[in-house]
Amino acid sequence: MSSDPIQEAPIPSFPVSEIAPTVQRLRQTFDSGRTRPLAWRKEQLEGVLAFGREQSEALVAALQADMGKPELEARTSDIGQISVEAKLALKNLKKWTRPEGAGWMPVLGRSFVQRDPLGVVLIIAPWNYPVGLLVSPMIGALAAGNAMVLKPSEVTPRTSAALAELLPQYIDTDAIAIVEGGVEETSALLEERFDHILYTGNGSVGRIVMEAASRNLTPVTLELGGKSPCIVDRTADLAVAGRRIAWGKFMNAGQTCIAPDYILVESSVEEALIESIQKAVHEFYGDDPGQSSDYTRIVNRRHHERISKLMTGHSVVFGGSSDPERCYIEPTLLRGVPPTAPIMQEEIFGPVLPVLTIENLDEAIQFVNGREKPLALYLFSQDSAAEEKVLSETTSGGACMNGTILHIGNSKMPFGGVGPSGMGAYHGRHSFETFSHRKAVLRRGIRLDPKMMYPPYTKRKTDMIKKMF
Ligand code: NAD
């Protein structure tokens, strides 16, 4: 990233009066049956794959202009989601959509589960990985045969504009609409009836989405955030832990839903862990991370101010410098932070890492369980009993042992939160399932028709039933 200030761009918009007709048009397309055949789904998925491949330069440029994302991170953690998810869906489309046998009493017929598309779905994305978090759920919705509205985040306006301009060139715009905009447009969208809403973002808006959805009994998937703890015990390999924590925390300048939010370290290894994290930060970003092309900016002034406020008044071990003009905050480590401080109450979502000490694993578990269930939980330890204890005594959306972030990369695993960190999950087959209805079907033969189940209910029939149940 250059040291140029990130210029504000105009907030994208969409004529609110066109929202209802747009949704109506999509519903007509869905009702016509056009989106159901596998051939349509395959064509759309191939279009999305081609979009990711052919427009990656434009997307990287937009992500850099919006928040100074390094090209490699833009290509791996954001745009890269397109090819991973689209290829997986294309490879497995037939398998996923095949009716699933559900063996029961053959005398009654053949049972199977058939996946139906839900209808017209709404996908609302946030700004921190603005391409992947819009297109990845879209892929699941397409594989399942739905029509949809995609709502990119207005907070990254250039990426929103690039998506709205380029993606329609690759997809069926009678079935897929992109509605740009902010609160006004999203509120108007939420007035409409959808068959599913997948929302990614903060929990306050998650509540607004769920309340609006409830008016039409629309099911929701909420991909939210929270404070993901990172526990380090005295057996941990501290060199590895320092590097992996620094990577997971400071990529995208901490603006990652599953970034380690704070550290709970056994006091005997606190000093060594801090040294190791500091060393890693220096190796990654050099003497001045502000000059590093590998370090992202805070997305805007509002978030810069929010994070700066959270940092204020705490003891800085390293980092701490900041420049609102450039939306820059240095990778920062705090120590001695009281658990009651505001920075320990709300999700930090920035490059600031408080380190708190604990005396043993029980204390760490108690600390985690005394707070809202997190989206991710990290443990660095070489003690398998500790690992088992933490996994069995805590609940989180996902977990990674001796690592950070990477568990999200395995599309075979569901990605989602629990409790206040979210509901429902997606990625890979789980995305397809999220946007499908599992219809239970019994196909009866007509030749066998046992009289046993029909009236009159004779004593003989009743005696037989008594033996059966
Ligand atoms: P954001 O500000 O981009 O908001 C998300 C979406 O909600 C946007 O499309 C926005 O237009 C819409 N929105 C905002 N206010 C609204 C309102 N009043 N009514 C209706 N819609 C509204 O993103 P954000 O919320 O700042 O995102 C950061 C949060 O998202 C963090 O908490 C982070 O942990 C979480 N997050 C979760 C995941 C996940 O997969 N679980 C991924 C990324 C981010």
Side-chain angles (χ1 to χ4, degrees), residues 144-260:
N146 295 284
M148 68 201 72
V149 173
L150 306 173
K151 217 301 279 166
S153 176
E154 75 283 13
V155 180
T156 35
R158 294 172 190 84
T159 311
S160 175
L163 288 161
E165 187 198 329
L166 302 171
L167 186 51
Q169 297 170 22
Y170 295 82
I171 50 176
D172 178 352
T173 50
D174 286 336
I176 305 151
I178 302 183
V179 171
E180 290 190 273
V183 176
E184 196 190 353
E185 289 84 353
T186 319
S187 305
L189 277 170
L190 291 173
E191 291 291 317
E192 300 300 315
R193 181 174 72 79
F194 289 95
D195 297 289
H196 193 96
I197 301 176
L198 186 146
Y199 162 82
T200 306
N202 69 76
S204 309
V205 176
R207 284 170 175 82
I208 295 174
V209 170
M210 194 167 173
E211 200 177 321
S214 74
R215 290 197 286 271
N216 291 308
L217 290 180
T218 298
V220 291
T221 301
L222 300 179
E223 297 285 339
L224 310 177
K227 294 185 80 62
S228 297
C230 178
I231 304 170
V232 182
D233 81 5
R234 63 181 180 282
T235 71
D237 181 319
L238 297 176
V240 168
R243 227 172 7 250
R244 294 183 184 174
I245 292 171
W247 176 74
K249 178 68 184 184
F250 300 117
M251 84 158 55
N252 214 33
Q255 301 163 113
T256 302
C257 56
I258 50 171

